[in-house]
Amino acid sequence: MNSPSPPAYTSQTLIKGLRLLEALVRDGGRSTLSAVAARLALPPQTAHRLALTLEAEGYLVRTAKGVYRAAPRLAALAQPSEPRPALAAGLRRPLARLAAQFGAYAHAGILEDSMVTYIVKERGDAAELFTAERMQLEAYCSAIGKILLAALPEPALAAYLAGGPLIALTPNTITDAAVLRDELATIRRTGIAYDRHEIRNDLFCIAVPLPPEDGRIEGAISLSFLGRTPDPAVRRKTIARLRAVARRLAGEAGQAGAASSART
């Protein structure tokens, strides 16, 4: 039985390019371009032209003469989309300034599947920290996570606390659900959360909530001090600067909402 003819509006060049791209990615660099083209019954000249185009656009990379594999740009297409891109974009520059000012790490995070997902990481310290954007971390032992847990409705918080053991990452990690609940109540009242060397012995973090959306706190920002514990004066200054970033974000959101209402 003959294969159905493609619709008249399709691009045969694009179809050939996509088929070649798929074949090269699946091959993983084991075969030359000529060998892959032969398996596709693609003329060598056509395959060469298409491969050069895909290489120029960043979808393929040549690893040896006549051998291609997927380039980072193509691999990035398979990654999950960035969570909350508008929020991350609005926080990146002010958090970068904070990180540089304090010689610390600035983060923004949201709660996903009871885990903190980092949406921004800005570095102000020469040392390397294990965190990364899109990385997830347990909420109960991180300052951002505690802010977000404290904002949960009571049924959701009760379910989280009953959901399993709180594993000790350091001697300072809170592993008693009742103790954690008491700390979350304090955080709810003060709007400040700390990671007092609970993830790592050499890491101290301070977090505050971002402005509520639809009446609920959906994100938080923090400064993380690696290799040192900030004194009370630095802590107060850190909290003031973090809150200023949060207020600024709230003001910008309000202005954007007012402008949108005016247009409609």
Side-chain angles (χ1 to χ4, degrees):
M1 181 176 179
N2 294 330
S3 300
S5 300
Y9 54 78
T10 58
S11 167
Q12 291 303 304
T13 300
L14 179 57
I15 290 172
K16 292 175 183 177
L18 290 173
R19 288 176 178 168
L20 178 64
L21 178 61
E22 180 182 4
L24 289 170
V25 171
R26 289 183 181 278
D27 182 78
R30 291 184 292 271
S31 307
T32 65
L33 175 62
S34 298
V36 174
R39 291 199 292 267
L40 296 175
L42 198 62
Q45 299 87 344
T46 302
H48 182 69
R49 175 169 44 83
L50 291 172
L52 287 176
T53 301
L54 291 166
E55 181 183 12
E57 292 300 312
Y59 295 105
L60 289 176
V61 61
R62 205 174 339 186
T63 58
K65 185 177 180 180
V67 176
Y68 288 85
R69 63 174 178 81
R73 181 178 183 182
L74 183 63
L77 294 177
Q79 297 298 317
S81 60
E82 179 183 350
R84 307 295 297 277
L87 179 61
L91 288 168
R92 192 167 298 284
R93 290 183 66 183
L95 288 183
R97 288 194 291 268
L98 275 187
Q101 178 185 354
F102 286 89
Y105 286 86
H107 296 91
I110 59 175
L111 198 66
E112 290 187 320
D113 300 325
S114 299
M115 302 276 286
V116 174
T117 298
Y118 290 112
I119 61 173
V120 175
K121 175 187 178 181
E122 292 296 336
R123 179 176 181 173
D125 191 327
E128 187 54 63
L129 187 61
F130 67 93
T131 54
E133 293 182 11
R134 301 188 189 179
M135 173 184 175
Q136 286 196 310
L137 192 67
E138 293 288 351
Y140 67 91
C141 51
S142 67
I144 285 179
K146 291 178 185 178
I147 289 284
L148 301 174
L149 289 176
L152 288 176
E154 176 54 34
L157 176 58
Y160 177 87
L161 294 174
L166 305 177
I167 305 300
L169 303 181
T170 76
N172 297 307
T173 309
I174 297 174
T175 57
D176 187 307
V179 175
L180 180 59
R181 179 182 279 279
D182 288 343
E183 178 158 343
L184 296 178
T186 300
I187 292 167
R188 200 175 298 116
R189 185 175 67 253
T190 63
I192 307 165
Y194 298 96
D195 161 13
R196 302 176 180 87
H197 312 295
E198 296 168 52
I199 294 176
R200 282 176 44 160
N201 289 318
D202 59 351
L203 191 65
F204 188 99
C205 306
I206 305 172
V208 304
L210 289 172
E213 297 183 17
D214 298 324
R216 288 189 57 185
I217 293 170
E218 301 288 349
I221 53 177
S222 70
L223 274 177
S224 300
F225 298 85
L226 184 60
R228 68 191 195 278
T229 301
D231 62 35
V234 173
R235 295 185 201 184
R236 289 192 294 271
K237 188 175 181 181
T238 297
I239 293 166
R241 294 292 190 274
L242 287 169
R243 284 176 166 167
V245 170
R247 285 196 301 271
R248 176 181 172 183
L249 188 70
E252 291 174 351
Q255 292 173 6
S260 177
S261 298
R263 287 194 298 270
T264 57

